[in-house]
Amino acid sequence: MKKLLGILTIFALWSAEIVLAQPRIGPLCGYTPPRSEFRDLKLSANYRYYNDQFRDNRDNVNSGSLRASFSRLLDAPAFGLSQQANLKLDLTRDTLNYQADGAMNVRAYLEQTNFFGFVGAEAQGATTFISPGLRVSAGLGYGRFKDVTALSKALKIQERLLGLKALAAPLPAAVLFELADTIGRRVEFPDIASLVQRLEEIIEASGFVPQGQLGAVALLRIEEIVNETADEKLCGWELRLGVGYELLDPYKGARDWLTLASFEYALAPAPRSQFKSSLRFSSSLALLEDYVLIAQANYAFRISESIDAQASYNFVRTQLQARTPLDIQSIDLRLTFQVQANLNLAIQLEFTLASDFEEWTQGLTITANYDLF
């Protein structure tokens, strides 16, 4: 119980502090697009097999891991949809362990406000469960998310043009927002060339282009940034309270009515940074005696032009009445070094701890990629 209260307190204080600080964050989270549609999918995997020289296979190695995370957001003035899923597979000495969870909800907003009603579903599974868990829910909430990828690309364009000395000074906020609105309306242009031409006109009309016109190299860099698909940015927060019903119990227990609460938060402090966290709690009517708590946080950021980093934490607690709670937590750290244009090095650290483990599992993976031609 003390560990649970500690986790809840840390997440509540941390998230509240970030929410209160958000208005002071730079221009990314201050931008509101007319419509937000965000998708993000991340995959990473590794595998190693080694057959030793002994017939009893004492030093054989058969191990690997797979990590996958998916999130999708659609937010309009009167309607919203969000989906989230995470998967973790670990193969160690021919034993496969997994941990997975997912959630989806549909929201209807009260006109011109951030208040909404929702219906949704949540699922979870793990090697230690007897079966998957599934519950449906409905309730009320407050908050919104917004996709600020378009402004992130506008800031990247400014950064790249300043590096090429194609701009005499940073662009005014009004020009950046106009670039973002134009990028966000990409589907209205017949092709990418027409969009780049319109962006060129906006930048040149600002009066910050020393030569009066952007060169071919600058236009090529603008097109590359507009075409990027793997660096979406999300901002906002959302609080939900509701009730639900358990369709599948992971321990084959009785199906119960549930009380539900969740808080989700996303922040893009810079064009190449993204922080996301969530805290989901569901309990039977016997509060704190029969419940599931899922806490997650992920932060991806650029340390320098040649170093990218990502850190994530996951915690799942399952408490059944009159039983010892089952905890599963994991920490993943990853550094990617762009040593040269054709050479990159990745270092990944993984730690996992469950209630029945004697100590943390520890994994280190180093990967080098070299493009010869």
Side-chain angles (χ1 to χ4, degrees):
M1 180 62 69
K2 290 182 179 179
K3 182 188 291 187
L4 170 62
L5 294 176
I7 292 171
L8 289 172
T9 301
I10 291 171
F11 260 80
L13 292 175
W14 186 23
S15 300
E17 181 179 352
I18 296 177
V19 170
L20 293 173
Q22 182 169 331
R24 297 190 293 274
I25 300 296
L28 272 179
C29 289
Y31 171 68
T32 301
R35 177 185 171 93
S36 290
E37 188 164 3
F38 173 92
R39 291 184 181 90
D40 185 38
L41 174 63
K42 290 183 172 61
L43 295 170
S44 65
N46 65 78
Y47 176 75
R48 180 172 182 247
Y49 175 79
Y50 172 72
N51 191 349
D52 66 17
Q53 69 272 34
F54 303 107
R55 291 184 178 178
D56 61 2
N57 298 327
R58 69 189 71 170
D59 293 326
N60 278 14
V61 177
N62 183 25
S63 64
S65 67
L66 171 69
R67 304 287 182 270
S69 64
F70 170 76
S71 59
R72 182 188 176 212
L73 164 78
L74 174 63
D75 188 88
F79 171 80
L81 170 70
S82 63
Q83 297 169 301
Q84 180 178 318
N86 298 280
L87 174 65
K88 180 178 180 180
L89 298 176
D90 287 299
L91 176 65
T92 306
R93 294 185 179 274
D94 300 323
T95 300
L96 181 65
N97 295 292
Y98 80 94
Q99 179 183 336
D101 65 84
M104 171 179 168
N105 72 79
V106 179
R107 304 179 300 280
Y109 286 94
L110 191 63
E111 186 176 1
Q112 297 183 344
T113 73
N114 291 335
F115 288 99
F116 61 85
F118 72 89
V119 294
E122 293 184 24
Q124 64 171 20
T127 309
T128 52
F129 294 167
I130 298 175
S131 73
L134 176 64
R135 56 186 60 89
V136 292
S137 60
L140 301 174
Y142 182 86
R144 281 185 186 268
F145 286 101
K146 52 188 178 180
D147 181 3
V148 296
T149 305
L151 181 57
S152 173
K153 291 185 176 183
L155 289 169
K156 289 179 184 178
I157 289 173
Q158 173 183 258
E159 177 186 348
R160 189 66 57 86
L161 296 183
L162 286 170
L164 294 172
K165 301 190 184 305
L167 287 178
L171 296 170
V175 177
L176 289 171
F177 286 164
E178 186 177 3
L179 290 173
D181 289 341
T182 304
I183 294 171
R185 301 197 315 272
R186 177 172 179 171
V187 295
E188 301 177 10
F189 292 85
D191 51 42
I192 186 64
S194 301
L195 174 57
V196 172
Q197 181 180 354
R198 177 56 188 149
L199 297 176
E200 176 188 9
E201 293 170 355
I202 295 171
I203 295 172
E204 291 175 351
S206 70
F208 285 78
V209 181
Q211 305 301 324
Q213 288 185 328
L214 296 174
V217 174
L219 295 178
L220 180 61
R221 298 296 174 262
I222 292 175
E223 182 175 342
E224 289 174 350
I225 293 172
V226 171
N227 278 328
E228 288 181 357
T229 58
D231 199 22
E232 287 77 9
K233 294 291 176 283
L234 189 66
C235 285
W237 62 275
E238 180 181 279
L239 175 66
R240 295 195 301 268
L241 299 172
V243 296
Y245 183 71
E246 196 171 33
L247 298 178
L248 293 174
D249 186 277
Y251 289 99
K252 296 291 187 179
R255 292 180 292 180
D256 300 313
W257 285 97
L258 306 169
T259 56
L260 307 170
S262 68
F263 178 76
E264 298 185 31
Y265 181 76
L267 173 68
R272 302 183 190 277
S273 300
Q274 177 71 73
F275 173 80
K276 289 189 287 186
S277 67
S278 66
L279 181 64
R280 303 200 297 271
F281 177 81
S282 62
S283 170
S284 67
L285 299 182
L287 289 174
L288 299 182
E289 294 182 10
D290 187 2
Y291 64 85
V292 174
L293 173 71
I294 301 175
Q296 299 170 328
N298 180 278
Y299 186 36
F301 58 100
R302 171 158 290 190
I303 298 175
S304 70
E305 285 300 317
S306 60
I307 305 176
D308 290 297
Q310 181 172 330
S312 63
Y313 174 76
N314 292 273
F315 176 87
V316 178
R317 164 169 282 200
T318 303
Q319 170 72 67
L320 301 179
Q321 280 187 324
R323 295 190 186 180
T324 302
L326 172 65
D327 294 345
I328 304 173
Q329 54 185 319
S330 63
I331 300 172
D332 293 336
L333 306 172
R334 183 181 180 90
L335 283 174
T336 303
F337 301 87
Q338 192 69 42
V339 182
Q340 298 176 359
N342 58 348
L343 173 63
N344 68 70
L345 177 70
I347 300 175
Q348 184 172 358
L349 293 169
E350 300 175 278
F351 307 92
T352 304
L353 181 66
S355 297
D356 56 347
F357 288 10
E358 294 182 1
E359 61 179 7
W360 286 82
T361 66
Q362 303 173 38
L364 170 64
T365 304
I366 300 176
T367 307
N369 297 291
Y370 186 71
D371 188 1
L372 295 175
F373 299 101

